């Protein structure tokens, strides 16, 4: 199934990379074994994102890593990304699917059971569930409190598409998210702001492996 | 030729409409004879723009008015708009063309002769040239001073695609822009912030007609 091998998922954001380029962060993350990269960079203009996207496509394709574009279906098409990730205030999943066709990956953010079921019904290939622990990468008051691994468990039980936990996830708290039923975790700052993004990716992957073997349930999903 | 009948061109921006909906402004502009509407609304989220776009598409299609989407090729496709308008920091003209196909209208902003020639070479169907007189609708220092009708004349002489003047254009200063070689003028606040958007559209159309008959050159272009 699409996305079911996504144990570690990097969402890009140049503004917190301590002066390093997104390309450099992604290169390190790939060296550390990242499974999928999402081009987000919401604060930048379209041309900048498109040009970065072309470079990321080359880099990820060489490494066999999936590349997803946040929100912008047109940029995803233009750079030949593997798919798109839409939030609840982006284009509807069904519209993204129609524009990109049946072979593209369409993911959707869901913070509630209702959103998760709707996204699956509309044809989403995977869900980004969160904010798990609250996060500083979005300056939105509503994201201060996380939904916790419990919400991941509720949603993973209710849908048959893969769930990735996002928001405030670190190597220290990733295991419970996966133990709750997520196939993996998505992070921004844990890798992007790390002193050593490669080591941070490896540590995250290890935490996910730990979560998968915490009990026997995960393997059955 | 595509866009060569665009004498009056409205660019939407809800934030300056004095509490009236964009739909209401566009309805009035259509009643006043607007030729083309561009969905911009850069400050809003994707879903909001998409949903407004569906409503604008219905309204403009009924009236036989062209509908263009700013920047977002995906929204243009999703709402079946007539085309897209890209700025110098949006997707390149050639990329927008490839995504939308040969029948769609692709317009491009140009403030210099170099940008204008490049856009035409890349396949643009029309140019938005400006800022003509400087404008308050963009909070960018660089837009404070306008390029004037002189730049319109230079560009209209250099390219064979239609030129629309934009930026600080009002019914009082539109005629020289058209006299300089523009097929028409694009406005944000002149219609959107007007007490009577319908009357403002009619006044603008009249000013454009005046500019077209100021001398005999315009008809020959």
């Amino acid at each position: 199934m699409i996305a079911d091998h996504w144990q570690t998922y990097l969402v890009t954001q140049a503004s917190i990379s301590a002066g390093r380029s997104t390309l450099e962060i992604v290169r390190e993350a790939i060296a550390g074994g990242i499974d999928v990269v999402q081009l987000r960079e919401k604060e930048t203009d379209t041309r900048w994102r498109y040009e970065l996207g072309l470079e990321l496509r080359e880099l990820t394709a060489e490494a066999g890593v999936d590349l997803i574009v946040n929100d912008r279906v047109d940029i995803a098409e233009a750079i030949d990304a593997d798919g798109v990730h839409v939030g609840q205030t982006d284009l509807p999943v069904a519209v993204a699917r129609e524009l990109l066709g049946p072979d593209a990956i369409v993911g959707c953010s869901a913070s509630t059971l209702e959103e998760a079921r709707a996204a699956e019904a509309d044809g989403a290939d995977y869900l980004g569930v969160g904010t798990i622990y609250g996060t500083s990468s979005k300056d939105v008051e509503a994201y201060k409190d996380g939904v916790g691994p419990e919400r991941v468990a509720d949603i993973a039980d209710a849908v048959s598409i893969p769930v990735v936990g996002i928001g405030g996830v670190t190597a220290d708290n990733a295991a419970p998210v996966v133990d709750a039923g997520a196939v993996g975790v998505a992070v921004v700052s844990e890798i992007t702001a790390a002193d050593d993004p490669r080591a941070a990716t490896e540590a995250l992957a290890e935490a996910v492996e730990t979560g998968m073997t915490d009990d026997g349930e995960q393997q059955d999903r």
Side-chain angles (χ1 to χ4, degrees), chain A:
Chain A
M1 187 188 288
I2 289 172
D4 66 355
H5 64 290
W6 287 355
Q7 298 189 13
T8 56
Y9 184 138
L10 170 65
V11 180
T12 70
Q13 187 177 332
S15 60
I16 59 164
S17 66
R20 298 164 296 187
S21 71
T22 295
L23 217 55
E24 187 182 341
I25 301 294
V26 170
R27 196 175 285 124
E28 289 299 304
I30 288 174
I34 200 83
D35 295 312
V36 51
V37 174
Q38 179 189 125
L39 170 63
R40 189 162 71 180
E41 313 280 354
K42 275 199 182 278
E43 69 274 23
T44 65
D45 66 46
T46 302
R47 181 72 63 93
W48 194 91
R49 249 178 292 171
Y50 163 70
E51 288 174 351
L52 172 60
L54 290 175
E55 295 183 294
L56 290 182
R57 175 70 295 180
E58 203 179 329
L59 206 60
T60 52
E62 274 172 19
V65 166
D66 289 323
L67 178 64
I68 300 295
V69 176
N70 183 282
D71 178 26
R72 298 285 304 238
V73 173
D74 47 2
I75 297 179
E77 283 190 277
I79 68 170
D80 194 25
D82 297 290
V84 72
H85 185 94
V86 292
Q88 296 291 323
T89 59
D90 295 333
L91 286 175
V93 166
V95 172
R97 168 68 62 209
E98 200 182 325
L99 294 177
L100 287 173
D103 295 336
I105 300 173
V106 177
C108 186
S109 301
S111 55
T112 66
L113 210 52
E114 194 184 4
E115 288 175 356
R117 285 183 169 131
E120 183 180 39
D122 289 345
D125 292 306
Y126 78 93
L127 300 175
V129 170
T131 301
I132 304 292
Y133 298 112
T135 172
S136 58
S137 75
K138 287 187 178 182
D139 284 336
V140 177
E141 190 68 21
Y143 280 114
K144 242 179 161 177
D145 297 314
V147 298
E150 301 74 19
R151 185 66 53 80
V152 171
D154 290 346
I155 290 177
D157 281 345
V159 302
S160 58
I161 52 178
V163 166
V164 173
I166 185 167
V169 177
T170 67
D172 290 335
N173 64 26
V177 182
V178 176
D179 188 43
V183 297
V185 292
V187 301
V188 185
S189 59
E190 180 69 358
I191 291 174
T192 309
D195 286 339
D196 184 342
R198 176 179 180 161
T201 307
E202 290 168 345
L204 195 65
E206 203 172 311
V208 169
E209 290 287 349
T210 304
M212 294 186 77
T213 52
D214 272 358
D215 61 42
E217 283 183 37
Q218 177 57 27
Q219 287 87 326
D220 298 333
R221 287 184 194 277

